[in-house]
């Protein structure tokens, strides 16, 4: 590479250079002497991807849980009655089979809940009494009373995502429509005003599509039998586990079909909880939600196909989220671009998110938003998510390192687009003291987007873009419009020295691939603006 007439050799670039501006691991704002600080890491221009690119997640879910030995909870028993008859700190083992949870389980401090292969906790109820009404089928009296609604939906006109109940027919998740006129095979309509549930598919299992002796087009008030071949189930209970106790362990269970509300979890964990080796699937809101859960862990879970989000974290310090498979979440139409749908989202929290596979979620892969602090996002494989791979927004003191961020940001929907305002690979939005280092950022909608916006005050000072260092990353821009750079709004211009790009390696198919202060820049222009002067391009 030549820069300003000087030839920089690969050997010179490979010399280890200390990383400047790194906060200490404790993240303290005190000025007192806490002893010697650890040496900052060494970062060089990368010659290959991080180790996470060749790593395999390995098994997740109930198969990874240890055998459960303790007080048995039989299928059909009320778990709460069993728990209330035992002291705190008891281990409970759910027997193989389907356990219908009619009310949230309230653990005691130190309790353990295990199961193993075939132990399923469901929040759904069977729907067996169907009547033919013209070209549709109806079941009455199965919906709950109306309740307050919240949530931002991709369809912000009729807001179908705000309602928590889901319908499954023959184990298949049906999509909600918001009027009887929209009903078609594969969908359902819930009329909460009249407490009626409608489907277009025959839920009785009758191969002709009509009850015996009932000609097509004529209503029949007689409920039809519902054979085993095509059972219908409606999710009703909101949560499998309530979070009131401390140091609870949940392991080896399948948790499915809970009508969790937006921002609420099918499994809600509190302080010191260990959520390990479970499969949490097909719930409406969040699969696993950590709420004021300091010191909690979520390890080796499969969290898939939940309606809004895979895993959420709120006001929880020093949480460890590692080695989970988080995939295909946001099945119920939450806003893809900008309302906590997709893989993992944390707010006002700290801790480690590492070694996870976050794949094919309809939203952001991993999102830290609002007053996050001392957050480390490390060695994850984040692929094919509809919005940003990683978004770090209005937060403080974060490290985003050694991740593989590939193929993200190509989802369509309201508010999405192809500019640097929409991110794609890694997006740092109006945050301070953030290190983005050693990542592979490949073939995303855009590469690395640094954004300066007007966002107001936070608990650790005003939200501003400052001390953001992007270094030692391998950035591959594949799409015809993909770019990397810095964008700003008029009220929050990027301050001089607020953002540093250095010691990165770029693979660019064309020269105009950078953005700064509203302009598209070529590689020489980007370097002339003060960025990446010791980086390489091929």
């Amino acid at each position: 590479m030549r820069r300003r007439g000087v030839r920089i050799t690969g050997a010179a670039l490979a010399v280890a250079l200390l990383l400047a501006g790194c906060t200490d691991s404790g993240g303290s704002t005190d000025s007192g002497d806490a002893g010697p600080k650890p040496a900052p890491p060494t970062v060089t221009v990368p010659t290959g991807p991080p180790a996470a690119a060749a790593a395999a997640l390995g098994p997740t879910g109930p198969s990874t849980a240890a055998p459960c030995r303790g007080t048995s909870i039989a299928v059909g028993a009320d778990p709460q009655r069993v728990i209330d008859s035992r002291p705190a700190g008891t281990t409970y083992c759910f027997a193989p089979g389907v356990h219908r949870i009619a009310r949230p389980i309230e653990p005691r401090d130190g309790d353990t809940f295990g199961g193993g292969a075939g132990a399923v906790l469901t929040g759904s109820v069977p729907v067996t009494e169907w009547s033919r009404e013209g070209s549709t089928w109806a079941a009455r009296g199965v919906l709950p009373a109306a309740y307050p609604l919240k949530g931002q939906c991709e369809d912000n006109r009729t807001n179908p995502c705000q309602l928590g109940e889901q319908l499954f027919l023959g184990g298949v998740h049906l999509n909600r429509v918001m009027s009887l006129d929209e009903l078609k095979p594969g969908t359902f309509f819930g009329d909460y005003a009249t407490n009626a549930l409608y489907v277009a598919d025959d839920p009785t299992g009758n191969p002709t599509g009509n009850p015996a002796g009932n000609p097509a087009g004529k209503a029949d008030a007689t409920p039809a039998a519902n054979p085993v071949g095509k059972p219908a189930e409606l999710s009703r209970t909101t949560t499998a586990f309530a979070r009131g106790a401390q140091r609870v362990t949940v392991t080896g269970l399948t948790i499915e079909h809970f009508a969790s509300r937006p921002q609420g979890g099918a499994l809600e964990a509190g302080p010191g909880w260990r959520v390990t080796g479970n499969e949490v699937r097909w719930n409406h809101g969040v699969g696993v939600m950590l709420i004021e859960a300091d010191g909690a862990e979520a390890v080796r879970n499969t969290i898939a196909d939940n309606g809004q989000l895979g895993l959420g974290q709120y006001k929880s310090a020093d949480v460890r989220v590692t080695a989970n498979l988080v995939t295909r979440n946001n099945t119920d139409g939450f806003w893809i671009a900008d309302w906590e749908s997709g893989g993992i989202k944390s707010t006002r929290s700290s801790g480690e998110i590492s070694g996870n596979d976050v794949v094919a979620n309809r939203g952001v892969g991993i999102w830290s938003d609002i007053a996050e602090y001392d957050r480390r996002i490390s060695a994850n494989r984040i692929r094919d998510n509809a919005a940003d791979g990683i978004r770090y927004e209005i937060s403080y003191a974060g490290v985003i390192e050694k991740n593989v961020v590939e193929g993200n940001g190509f989802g369509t929907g309201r508010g999405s687009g192809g500019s640097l305002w929409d991110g794609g690979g890694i997006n740092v939005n109006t945050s301070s003291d953030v290190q983005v280092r050693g990542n592979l950022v490949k073939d995303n909608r855009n590469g690395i987007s640094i954004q300066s916006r007007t966002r107001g005050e936070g608990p650790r000072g005003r939200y501003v873009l400052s001390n953001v260092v992007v270094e030692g990353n391998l950035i591959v821009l594949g799409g015809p419009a993909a770019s990397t750079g810095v964008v700003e709004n008029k009220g929050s211009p990027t301050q001089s020295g607020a953002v540093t790009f250095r010691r990165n390696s770029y693979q660019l198919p064309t020269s105009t691939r950078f953005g700064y202060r509203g302009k598209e820049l070529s590689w020489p222009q980007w370097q002339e603006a003060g960025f990446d002067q010791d980086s390489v391009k091929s």
Side-chain angles (χ1 to χ4, degrees):
M1 181 192 77
R2 293 186 179 273
R3 178 175 59 84
R4 300 177 182 175
V6 178
R7 186 174 185 271
I8 300 177
T9 67
L13 287 171
V15 175
L17 298 172
L18 292 179
L19 178 65
C22 184
T23 59
D24 68 274
S25 60
S28 173
T29 58
D30 297 334
S31 59
D33 185 4
K37 295 182 179 180
T42 297
V43 177
T44 61
V45 176
T47 59
L57 176 63
T60 59
S63 67
T64 66
C68 187
R69 295 180 177 87
T71 299
S72 178
I73 299 178
V75 172
D78 179 353
Q80 197 63 53
R81 294 186 66 180
V82 179
I83 294 165
D84 291 345
S85 69
R86 299 292 192 277
T90 298
T91 295
Y92 301 94
C93 301
F94 285 91
V98 176
H99 298 257
R100 296 198 180 276
I101 307 302
R103 52 176 172 156
I105 296 168
E106 297 182 4
R108 309 277 183 87
D109 288 353
D111 283 350
T112 294
F113 297 88
V120 178
L121 275 56
T122 181
S124 66
V125 295
V127 183
T128 59
E129 297 186 353
W130 294 91
S131 301
R132 183 68 180 265
E133 296 187 3
S135 60
T136 67
W137 297 84
R140 301 185 180 277
V142 295
L143 293 171
Y147 49 85
L149 302 178
K150 67 174 182 178
Q152 293 286 328
C153 308
E154 188 70 25
D155 172 7
N156 62 347
R157 181 180 60 85
T158 63
N159 290 315
C161 73
Q162 295 179 341
L163 293 160
E165 290 70 38
Q166 299 170 295
L167 187 66
F168 299 85
L169 189 60
V172 176
H173 170 268
L174 302 186
N175 294 319
R176 181 188 295 276
V177 296
M178 297 301 285
S179 72
L180 199 55
D181 291 340
E182 298 174 87
L183 198 66
K184 61 183 180 180
T187 68
F188 77 100
F189 170 58
D191 188 339
Y192 288 74
T194 63
N195 200 341
L197 193 64
Y198 296 91
V199 295
D201 301 280
D202 180 359
T204 69
N206 190 312
T208 65
N210 295 299
N214 182 20
K218 293 188 177 181
D220 183 357
T222 303
N226 192 348
V228 175
K230 207 172 187 183
E233 298 197 4
L234 180 73
S235 60
R236 281 289 302 268
T237 307
T238 58
T239 302
F241 290 95
R243 61 181 177 89
Q246 301 185 42
R247 302 182 309 282
V248 173
T249 297
V250 180
T251 182
L253 297 172
T254 296
I255 299 172
E256 67 178 15
H257 298 184
F258 283 84
S260 45
R261 303 292 189 255
Q263 298 178 310
L267 192 165
E268 294 192 345
W273 282 47
R274 295 188 69 251
V275 180
T276 176
N278 304 283
E279 182 168 6
V280 185
R281 67 191 186 190
W282 292 114
N283 305 287
H284 174 67
V286 184
V288 177
M289 188 71 199
L290 313 177
I291 304 174
E292 297 179 336
D294 291 358
E297 295 184 350
V299 181
R300 290 240 167 253
N301 301 285
T302 300
I303 307 174
D305 301 301
N306 294 287
Q308 176 201 341
L309 185 70
L311 184 143
Q313 182 180 340
Y314 176 70
K315 283 190 175 180
S316 302
D318 300 321
V319 166
R320 180 170 168 255
V321 177
T322 187
N324 301 282
L325 173 61
V326 183
T327 185
R328 300 188 306 272
N329 295 287
N330 188 15
T331 61
D332 284 351
F334 288 84
W335 188 13
I336 295 170
D338 209 27
W339 200 79
E340 57 194 77
S341 64
I344 297 172
K345 184 173 184 185
S346 55
T347 299
R348 301 182 186 275
S349 300
S350 65
E352 172 189 349
I353 301 174
S354 64
N356 303 281
D357 276 11
V358 184
V359 183
N361 298 283
R362 297 186 70 237
V364 178
I366 298 176
W367 187 358
S368 284
D369 185 25
I370 307 176
E372 292 274 283
Y373 55 95
D374 297 342
R375 167 67 70 194
R376 185 175 297 272
I377 301 171
S378 176
N380 302 282
R381 292 160 294 274
I382 306 163
R383 304 186 304 273
D384 301 326
N385 299 284
D388 301 338
I390 298 173
R391 185 182 296 179
Y392 203 80
E393 182 172 1
I394 54 172
S395 293
Y396 315 92
V399 175
I400 302 168
E401 65 176 355
K402 302 177 183 178
N403 301 281
V404 174
V405 186
E406 186 171 3
N408 301 283
F410 293 98
T412 58
R414 68 183 182 96
S416 65
S419 76
L420 282 173
W421 288 110
D422 303 297
I426 298 175
N427 175 358
V428 178
N429 181 344
T430 321
S431 297
S432 57
D433 302 313
V434 182
Q435 309 289 321
V436 181
R437 63 193 184 209
N439 304 282
L440 171 62
V441 183
K442 180 181 179 182
D443 293 340
N444 300 282
R445 185 74 171 261
N446 285 296
I448 296 177
S449 170
I450 310 299
Q451 302 179 1
S452 181
R453 303 177 185 243
T454 305
R455 300 300 299 270
E457 296 289 332
R460 300 187 174 206
R462 185 172 180 80
Y463 294 123
V464 294
L465 184 68
S466 67
N467 193 27
V468 175
V469 178
V470 180
E471 68 176 337
N473 303 283
L474 175 56
I475 303 166
V476 181
L477 301 182
S483 61
T484 278
V486 184
V487 290
E488 60 193 31
N489 63 20
K490 291 182 179 179
S492 296
T494 305
Q495 299 300 309
S496 178
V499 182
T500 301
F501 280 76
R502 64 191 181 202
R503 297 191 284 274
N504 298 294
S505 178
Y506 292 89
Q507 295 179 16
L508 309 178
T510 61
S511 60
T512 304
R513 289 289 166 150
F514 299 90
Y516 184 51
R517 292 185 170 166
K519 297 181 180 180
E520 295 182 352
L521 305 180
S522 65
W523 172 251
Q525 291 169 330
W526 174 250
Q527 289 189 308
E528 192 66 30
F531 301 109
D532 278 319
Q533 295 186 5
D534 52 2
S535 300
V536 297
K537 178 186 75 73
S538 60

